[in-house]
Amino acid sequence: MKTTIVTIMAVALMTACGGNKNEQENKPEEEAPTTEVTLTEKQMSAVGIALGQMDTRRLGHTIRANGRLSLDPQNRAEVSPLMGGVVRSITVNEGNRVGRGQTVAYVKNIDIIEIQKNYLTAYTETEAALVELQRQKLLSSQGAGVKKTLQQARTAYSLARAQMAGLSRQLQQLGISPRGVSHGRFVTRMPVKSPISGVVGKIKVNTGSYVDMQTSLMTVTDNRRMHCDLNIFERDIPSLRIGQNVDMRLTGNHNVRLSGRIYEINSAMDEATKSIVVHVSLPSAARERLMPDMFVTGIISTGDAEVKAMPDEAIVSKNGRKYIYLLVSRGKGNVVFRPVEVATGTNGLGYTAVTPVETLPPDSVFVKKGAFYISSIMDGESEE
């Protein structure tokens, strides 16, 4: 009985081995990976594939830092009245550009009537004191005057003039013309003027609102003087120098890229974060479309060189290697590409230094946008 069982198991084992051998012999050989891919012009347009030559970028040892766009205190203003009152009109809208000294609102306050009345009284008394002083001088020159009376006339005129000058200055600060008041033209509302030139930001009050000297009616910012503040940690401080190049992009919109230079390095360290603030200039053409407090990512070049680089989205990874796609031919509605292996180097702000492992013509054209789509097509063909 045991001999029969052993014989049956041996036959079953031989049959199984023979079956595996036949399956291996009948299995077709794997096809070599596809080395080229062809797209139509319509496909190129539909997925937004962009072509171009390699860029020349300055990349090297860098410091990556976060920060925000900022304005110095003298370039950001809160507009407030010099006296309390009721807002009678607002003459600007949010987003309007205003000049320094331009009227942006009117505030009504009956107390300014009293100031104007006092000024008119002082103006009249000054004129009267001047007439009396001139009369006493004339009498004195004719030997008919009294020296003490002349001195009293001089004193009275000086006091009246000082009183008038003080009230005149007060009216000018309130935006009221002393000349108009001297002719009896009183006003019941005072203009509120912008202290700087810039763009009106948030308007915080409405017509009819009561405001005082501590109330901010609106903000005005001069974005033409905007800069970027980057926070640099302690370990990177020794590498900083004034004049170093900085590449930046908005954290909320990576398509907006900026370039600038370090123009000032703060010497005070934040004890909580162990970092200092570095001030970076911005190109004047870009400031108008930016706003304060936008978050920024910056790359500070501390020792760089010009290298050939490609956008990060133009580089694909396969089996631990990096590739970009070379334009092979283009014509009759078809475009042919093939992958080229590259060695990658330093990167920053969306670009990576690349060196093809094979020699290519200097005018070679590559896929700079849409490489992932081409890679997906090639992977699909390889699987088929």
Side-chain angles (χ1 to χ4, degrees):
M1 183 68 179
K2 291 183 179 180
T3 304
T4 303
I5 293 173
V6 171
T7 303
I8 293 172
M9 291 179 63
V11 172
L13 181 60
M14 291 176 63
T15 303
C17 292
N20 291 338
K21 183 176 180 182
N22 292 335
E23 289 180 2
Q24 291 177 357
E25 290 176 353
N26 295 331
K27 184 178 180 181
E29 294 183 1
E30 294 184 0
E31 297 180 0
T34 305
T35 57
E36 290 186 353
V37 63
T38 302
L39 301 180
T40 64
E41 293 286 357
K42 289 184 178 181
Q43 287 176 306
M44 293 269 294
S45 176
V47 299
I49 293 176
L51 306 178
Q53 294 182 324
M54 286 188 184
D55 294 307
T56 300
R57 306 277 296 185
R58 295 190 67 86
L59 298 175
H61 178 61
T62 59
I63 299 173
R64 182 179 292 271
N66 296 321
R68 66 175 62 193
L69 301 182
S70 182
L71 286 169
D72 291 328
Q74 60 269 28
N75 299 318
R76 186 199 299 258
E78 299 288 341
V79 182
S80 302
L82 294 177
M83 288 184 67
V86 177
V87 178
R88 280 304 176 210
S89 64
I90 299 172
T91 61
V92 295
N93 295 318
E94 294 180 359
N96 288 164
R97 176 166 289 282
V98 297
R100 180 179 181 180
Q102 179 178 333
T103 299
V104 296
Y106 285 95
V107 173
K108 185 175 182 179
N109 187 329
I110 60 175
D111 291 340
I112 62 175
I113 299 293
E114 186 69 20
I115 298 174
Q116 294 173 87
K117 185 185 74 172
N118 293 339
Y119 174 79
L120 183 58
T121 300
Y123 177 81
T124 304
E125 291 177 350
T126 301
E127 284 192 328
L130 178 59
V131 171
E132 177 61 20
L133 176 61
Q134 291 174 342
R135 190 176 74 85
Q136 290 297 328
K137 285 181 178 180
L138 179 60
L139 292 174
S140 179
S141 65
Q142 295 175 351
V146 180
K147 188 175 182 180
K148 181 178 179 180
T149 304
L150 176 60
Q151 185 61 38
Q152 289 175 342
R154 284 199 179 102
T155 301
Y157 173 70
S158 296
L159 291 175
R161 188 177 179 182
Q163 178 72 7
M164 184 187 71
L167 290 170
S168 174
R169 185 60 178 168
Q170 190 173 358
L171 289 175
Q172 290 174 354
Q173 289 182 335
L174 294 174
I176 301 172
S177 171
R179 180 181 293 274
V181 175
S182 66
H183 289 84
R185 295 193 296 269
F186 284 21
V187 298
T188 59
R189 62 178 190 171
M190 57 183 175
V192 181
K193 300 183 178 182
S194 174
I196 64 171
S197 298
V199 177
V200 177
K202 177 68 174 178
I203 297 178
K204 306 175 183 179
V205 297
N206 300 315
T207 302
S209 300
Y210 177 81
V211 296
D212 55 26
M213 296 177 62
Q214 285 75 41
T215 304
S216 173
L217 276 64
M218 63 191 70
T219 59
V220 176
T221 57
D222 187 0
N223 291 352
R224 295 173 300 179
R225 302 185 182 278
M226 194 182 308
H227 64 272
C228 178
D229 289 342
L230 295 177
N231 299 311
I232 308 299
F233 292 106
E234 184 177 4
R235 64 178 181 272
D236 295 321
I237 293 176
S239 301
L240 297 177
R241 301 289 185 276
I242 290 178
Q244 287 173 331
N245 294 323
V246 183
D247 288 330
M248 296 161 282
R249 63 181 173 185
L250 298 182
T251 305
N253 186 355
H254 290 183
N255 292 326
V256 178
R257 289 189 170 91
L258 306 167
S259 61
R261 290 178 179 272
I262 296 176
Y263 69 89
E264 188 174 359
I265 301 174
N266 198 337
S267 58
M269 179 177 290
D270 187 328
E271 291 298 328
T273 62
K274 293 297 181 181
S275 66
I276 64 171
V277 174
V278 171
H279 303 294
V280 182
S281 62
L282 295 175
S284 57
R287 296 174 193 159
E288 292 296 325
R289 53 191 175 88
L290 300 174
M291 291 180 289
D293 299 324
M294 285 182 167
F295 289 100
V296 171
T297 299
I299 300 294
I300 302 174
S301 301
T302 59
D304 53 16
E306 290 189 348
V307 296
K308 293 296 183 180
M310 291 286 285
D312 291 341
E313 59 185 326
I315 304 171
V316 296
S317 299
K318 288 185 180 181
N319 301 322
R321 297 181 179 182
K322 306 288 186 179
Y323 295 90
I324 58 177
Y325 289 98
L326 171 70
L327 174 64
V328 177
S329 64
R330 189 174 196 174
K332 297 182 179 180
N334 293 325
V335 188
V336 181
F337 302 99
R338 73 174 177 86
V340 173
E341 186 179 352
V342 294
T344 58
T346 57
N347 60 7
L349 289 178
Y351 280 83
T352 300
V354 296
T355 303
V357 297
E358 60 182 273
T359 303
L360 298 174
D363 58 349
S364 296
V365 176
F366 304 90
V367 174
K368 302 185 74 173
K369 182 179 180 182
F372 178 77
Y373 176 76
I374 297 177
S375 176
S376 298
I377 292 178
M378 295 190 71
D379 290 343
E381 293 180 353
S382 297
E383 290 177 2
E384 291 176 2

